[in-house]
Amino acid sequence: MINNEKVRLMAKLAIYEKNNEEDIKLSKYYKVDYVKHNILKTIISVTIAYACILGLIVFYNMEYFLAEAFNLDYTIIGVQIVVTYLMTVIVFSLLSFLIYGDKIKNSRERLVKYNSNLKKLSNMYDDEKNGM
C-alpha cells in the first residue's frame, strides 16, 4: 500500500534537490574553507582587473608620461599605486567575506530542514521494515 505521507516527503525532498543543487554542493565545504577560497578568487580577480585598468590609464596618458618622464616623482606615483591597490583589495575582500559568509550560512540553515526531512524519511523506512 502507498504511504501518502512518505510520497509527499519524497516529493518535497526531490523539489528541494532540484531547486537547490548549490546548497548540497556547499555542504561539502567547511565554512572557513569556502569563504577563504572565495576571498582568494576575489583577490586574484581584483589584481587582474587593477592591472588592466592601470595599464589602460598608462596607455591613455602615454604622451604625458613620455613628455614628463624626467620630471615625474616615481616614488610618489608608486606609493599611490600600491596604496590604492591595497585599499581596493581590502574593500573587495571584506565584501567577499560578508557575501560568501552569509551565503553559506543561509545554505546551512536551509540544509538543516532538508536533513530533518531526510531523517524523517529514513525513520519511515525503518518503521516500515521493522513493522513487517
Side-chain angles (χ1 to χ4, degrees), residues 21-95:
E21 290 178 21
E22 191 172 351
D23 287 351
I24 295 169
K25 289 178 186 174
L26 290 179
S27 69
K28 296 176 180 144
Y29 290 99
Y30 288 110
K31 182 178 180 179
V32 174
D33 291 340
Y34 178 74
V35 172
K36 282 181 183 179
H37 175 72
N38 283 296
I39 288 174
L40 182 61
K41 287 191 325 189
T42 300
I43 290 171
I44 291 169
S45 299
V46 166
T47 301
I48 292 169
Y50 190 83
C52 290
I53 291 171
L54 189 62
L56 288 173
I57 291 171
V58 168
F59 284 132
Y60 182 76
N61 295 311
M62 186 62 76
E63 185 178 336
Y64 172 76
F65 288 135
L66 290 175
E68 298 292 323
F70 295 109
N71 299 332
L72 293 175
D73 189 3
Y74 290 108
T75 56
I76 291 176
I77 294 172
V79 168
Q80 287 176 340
I81 289 171
V82 170
V83 168
T84 306
Y85 169 72
L86 291 175
M87 288 175 51
T88 305
V89 166
I90 289 170
V91 167
F92 278 96
S93 295
L94 287 174
L95 286 173

Side-chain angles (χ1 to χ4, degrees), residues 14-22:
I15 290 170
Y16 178 84
E17 288 172 1
K18 182 178 180 186
N19 294 336
N20 298 307
E21 290 178 21
E22 191 172 351

